[in-house]
Amino acid sequence: MNPTGTIRRRNKLTKMSYKLVVMGSGCVGKSALTIQLVKNCFVPDHDPTIEDSYRTQLIVDGQSCQLDILDTTGDEEMLSRRHQFMRWGEGFLCVYAVDDIKSFVDVNIFRDQLRRIRGADRIPFVLVANKVDLGNSLVTSALGQEAAKSFKVPFVETSAQTRQGVEHAFQQLVREVQRARAEALRNIPEPPPRRRRRGCTCSVM
């Protein structure tokens, strides 16, 4: 308590937590994107991921957010693990590489599996075209934008090497989760009004 008798209070930013999953085919740069966000560095040679988890802070629209990120494998043999992380996550960053046409086609597989496992069409989801710094792009920006438009999701072009679009991709995903949370709150039915109990009316003689 200070001499005037008033109590000083600190304004603390409340950190909201978000469970995010980075998914996609193998060798598209999922780990490089995640490490670039978390550690601000580019790792060109990274062992194929089975599953890694990271925690980091990110400012989104002026708000401090805690991100719990699961970096997943694209190996089809790990299908049971894929089902688990699709149930765990709130938001999904689906990555393909612009120099790999198959990884772009595989996006449809990941999205269909996600919708089937979650039993919903609208899931927080961002489509990411990675490795845009390369000169040998086989998947054009127009193709990526068209796919995202058909999915009705945001589209972000990134480079894990130059850090282009990396923060923006995760910020967009946080915004998608925030929209889903707000929509879920709006859809909660209001409780029925309480009935007043009628008191006993007694006459005093």
Side-chain angles (χ1 to χ4, degrees), residues 103-158:
S103 70
F104 178 65
V105 174
D106 287 347
V107 165
N108 293 281
I109 298 174
F110 282 93
R111 182 171 177 271
D112 288 344
Q113 288 178 345
L114 181 61
R115 293 167 67 192
R116 184 173 64 253
I117 289 170
R118 299 298 288 262
D121 290 331
R122 295 284 294 171
I123 301 163
F125 187 98
V126 172
L127 183 61
V128 173
N130 192 36
K131 302 186 182 182
V132 295
D133 55 292
L134 300 179
N136 57 338
S137 176
L138 300 177
V139 184
T140 65
S141 178
L143 282 173
Q145 291 175 3
E146 184 179 346
K149 185 177 180 180
S150 68
F151 297 159
K152 297 180 180 179
V153 301
F155 172 69
V156 181
E157 294 178 308
T158 63

Side-chain angles (χ1 to χ4, degrees), residues 50-51 70 73 78-86:
I50 295 179
E51 193 174 282
L70 195 62
T73 178
M78 301 292 289
L79 189 60
S80 61
R81 294 296 299 165
R82 187 183 299 176
H83 288 182
Q84 290 179 26
F85 73 64
M86 285 183 176

Side-chain angles (χ1 to χ4, degrees), residues 14-20 54-57 63-69 88 90-91 174 177-178 181:
T14 302
K15 294 180 181 178
M16 297 293 291
S17 180
Y18 300 84
K19 296 188 291 185
L20 309 181
Y54 300 87
R55 175 169 289 182
T56 191
Q57 308 295 327
Q63 182 183 40
S64 180
C65 301
Q66 177 178 293
L67 310 186
D68 293 314
I69 304 172
W88 175 85
E90 284 185 285
V174 168
V177 173
Q178 290 173 340
R181 288 178 177 179

